[in-house]
Amino acid sequence: YGWVVVAASAACILCAYPGQSYGVAQFIEYIMRDCGISRITVGFVWSAVLFVCSLLLPFVGRLCDKHGPRRVLLCAIGPYVGLLLLMSTIDSLATFVAVFFCMRMIGPGVLVLIGSTTSNHWFDRRRGRAAEVLSIGVGLETLYPSYALALIDAAGWRAAFRWMALS
């Protein structure tokens, strides 16, 4: 059963891709153009959001300790999907900041935290092997930029966010 936990942990981390910096980076030129946001503003917002999210992650860890990762994950999935769908509708700096902050907090914040810690808690022996397998699975993220760009080319950046939310 432990290897199922490793696979589920890898899936959590992979699902966080659209909210990761290298995930959003595929969309940023389109977002800047359609929302009228300058590159310097995006850089400031990006840095501020990452900083604030990093300050909030210890609270997420406490939630996982108190309620268990499965319960926290179940509470996060729906809002994360909704935020990815909302990301496809942003039209201003204000909506970008609000949706991007929440998406970063839940995706890379909650999902990655749960994915990267759950398998470690499951294994006493073979913890190193489990981490190795998890790393290999997470390595699949290297395919996502091409996937995102193919979706953008095929259907536009807004439809690509909707597709990622529902897939």
Side-chain angles (χ1 to χ4, degrees), residues 99-158:
V99 176
F100 181 58
F101 170 76
C102 294
M103 185 179 70
R104 282 287 311 184
M105 190 63 224
I106 294 175
V110 175
L111 297 179
V112 171
L113 182 103
I114 290 171
S116 61
T117 59
T118 300
S119 62
N120 286 333
H121 289 292
W122 187 265
F123 285 87
D124 289 325
R125 292 181 38 231
R126 296 189 178 166
R127 187 174 292 159
R129 173 72 55 151
E132 172 188 315
V133 171
L134 179 63
S135 296
I136 292 168
V138 172
L140 294 173
E141 278 186 324
T142 60
L143 302 174
Y144 270 113
S146 297
Y147 173 65
L149 291 172
L151 288 173
I152 292 168
D153 285 347
W157 73 271
R158 294 179 187 276

Side-chain angles (χ1 to χ4, degrees), residues 12-23:
C12 279
I13 295 170
L14 289 172
C15 287
Y17 167 78
Q20 292 279 24
S21 294
Y22 48 84

Side-chain angles (χ1 to χ4, degrees), residues 23-46:
V24 177
Q26 312 310 312
F27 297 86
I28 206 64
E29 294 295 328
Y30 305 100
I31 291 169
M32 288 176 8
R33 181 194 67 209
D34 290 0
C35 297
I37 305 170
S38 70
R39 184 168 304 283
I40 195 159
T41 301
V42 167
F44 174 77
V45 167
W46 204 295

Side-chain angles (χ1 to χ4, degrees), residues 41-61:
T41 301
V42 167
F44 174 77
V45 167
W46 204 295
S47 297
V49 164
L50 292 177
F51 178 72
V52 172
C53 286
S54 72
L55 295 176
L56 296 174
L57 280 177
F59 298 106
V60 174

